[in-house]
């Protein structure tokens, strides 16, 4: 037990640049406290002492703001940074060296008993307020963007963003190191807008060449639109009085 606590503290110092020393981490990191409570609760859960297990997890929730069902299976060197609002369901499984930020939900999508929560691989990063739902698998080294809602399996090394979550980037097997940059993620919507704007610009240039070759002279589309908009605007009472005078 003592060796695991030391391992947890070392992992927190490595994953949180704000950590100054082991004493601070031991006393002031609710993510670690929640995990330590969970190990005790999980022991009673495996002994089928469910009520005691739930009482311990409930106390941990009250003290840390992190709710971990005593039935969840959590690996080594897992770090919950800040942690407020994190919810981990009964049949969730979390691998080693996973980094979880605040507001993350590992939830279920079914009322049926049995496996209904996600399985998280090793060295996964789950960004703030992300939801991973259902009995899906998140591959080793994957990265879940902040605010994403993931409802399908994620391959190893993939980066997922959006609602619902979509894979926007994949890593090769030899580059699955833990990546803390969960805020620096691709934006597929912005990429599509950029492509559309580029296509529009190219079409405008081609149209301009055609108009020049055929000696077609037209006013700017925006100029015509502005004039038409002004013509169609109803006059206010004050403007009517000025025009009548």
């Amino acid at each position: 037990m003592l060796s695991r606590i030391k391992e947890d503290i070392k992992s927190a110092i490595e994953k949180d640049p704000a950590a100054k020393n082991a004493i601070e981490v031991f006393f002031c990191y609710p993510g670690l406290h929640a995990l330590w409570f969970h190990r005790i609760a999980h022991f009673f859960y495996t002994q089928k002492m469910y009520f005691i297990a739930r009482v311990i997890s409930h106390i941990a929730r009250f003290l840390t703001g992190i709710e971990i069902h005593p039935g969840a299976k959590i690996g080594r060197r897992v770090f919950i940074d800040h942690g407020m609002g994190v919810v981990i369901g009964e049949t969730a499984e979390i691998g080693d060296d996973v980094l979880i930020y605040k507001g993350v939900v590992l939830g279920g999508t079914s009322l049926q008993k049995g496996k209904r929560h996600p399985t998280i691989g090793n060295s996964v990063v789950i960004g703030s307020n992300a939801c991973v739902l259902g009995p899906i698998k998140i591959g080793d080294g994957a990265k879940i963007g902040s605010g994403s809602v993931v409802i399908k399996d994620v391959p190893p090394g993939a980066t997922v963003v959006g609602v619902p979550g979509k894979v926007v980037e994949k890593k090769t097997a030899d580059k699955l190191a833990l990546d803390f940059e969960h805020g620096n993620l691709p934006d597929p919507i912005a990429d599509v807008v950029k492509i559309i704007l580029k296509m529009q610009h190219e079409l405008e240039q081609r149209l301009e060449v055609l108009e020049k070759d055929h000696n077609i002279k037209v006013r700017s589309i925006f100029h015509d639109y502005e004039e038409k908009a002004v013509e169609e605007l109803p006059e206010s009472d004050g403007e009517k009085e000025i025009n009548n005078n």
Side-chain angles (χ1 to χ4, degrees):
M1 187 69 176
L2 183 60
S3 63
R4 290 290 298 275
I5 291 176
K6 290 181 178 178
E7 185 179 64
D8 292 334
I9 293 174
K10 181 180 178 182
S11 177
I13 293 174
E14 291 174 351
K15 294 174 182 175
D16 185 5
K20 298 298 186 292
N21 53 64
I23 296 176
E24 176 192 14
V25 172
F26 181 84
F27 284 102
C28 304
Y29 275 57
L32 293 186
H33 301 157
L35 290 173
W36 297 338
F37 273 109
H38 170 70
R39 286 175 192 156
I40 300 172
H42 184 69
F43 169 79
F44 285 105
Y45 187 86
T46 57
Q47 303 302 311
K48 297 185 178 181
M49 302 174 70
Y50 301 125
F51 177 74
I52 296 176
R54 288 307 300 266
V55 168
I56 294 172
S57 67
H58 188 69
I59 293 172
R61 177 179 180 270
F62 177 78
L63 295 175
T64 66
I66 299 169
E67 182 172 348
I68 306 176
H69 193 283
K73 298 177 181 178
I74 300 179
R76 303 173 73 97
R77 297 177 300 279
V78 172
F79 179 50
I80 302 176
D81 196 359
H82 297 292
M84 181 61 69
V86 167
V87 178
I88 300 175
E90 178 186 17
T91 61
E93 299 177 47
I94 302 175
D96 299 333
D97 301 299
V98 173
L99 177 58
I100 299 174
Y101 287 89
K102 68 96 177 172
V104 167
V105 175
L106 305 182
T109 57
S110 171
L111 296 179
Q112 302 297 324
K113 292 185 179 297
K115 179 65 173 173
R116 60 189 186 279
H117 297 92
T119 298
I120 311 297
N122 299 325
S123 301
V124 173
V125 177
I126 308 179
S128 303
N129 302 313
C131 293
V132 185
L133 305 175
I136 61 176
K137 294 182 179 181
I138 309 299
D140 295 347
K143 185 165 57 172
I144 310 300
S146 298
S148 300
V149 177
V150 185
I151 55 176
K152 294 182 180 180
D153 291 351
V154 176
T159 297
V160 177
V161 299
V163 181
K166 293 180 176 60
V167 175
V168 295
E169 185 179 56
K170 293 183 179 180
K171 292 182 181 179
T172 57
D174 59 338
K175 296 182 179 179
L176 297 184
L178 189 62
D179 185 355
F180 298 104
E181 293 294 338
H182 69 291
N184 184 20
L185 300 174
D187 188 341
I189 297 177
D191 292 340
V192 171
V193 172
K194 289 177 182 177
I195 292 172
I196 293 174
L197 290 175
K198 183 179 180 180
M199 292 174 61
Q200 179 181 337
H201 180 65
E202 291 177 354
L203 287 172
E204 288 176 350
Q205 289 180 324
R206 292 168 64 179
L207 181 60
E208 185 177 351
V209 172
L210 287 172
E211 291 175 347
K212 185 176 181 181
D213 291 344
H214 292 80
N215 197 28
I216 299 174
K217 296 181 180 180
V218 294
R219 290 188 299 175
S220 168
I221 295 175
F222 293 103
H223 180 73
D224 291 344
Y225 176 81
E226 289 173 359
E227 282 193 353
K228 187 176 180 181
V230 170
E231 291 173 359
E232 292 180 354
L233 284 174
E235 291 183 341
S236 64
D237 295 337
E239 289 175 337
K240 289 180 180 179
E241 291 181 3
I242 293 174
N243 293 333
N244 292 333
N245 293 334

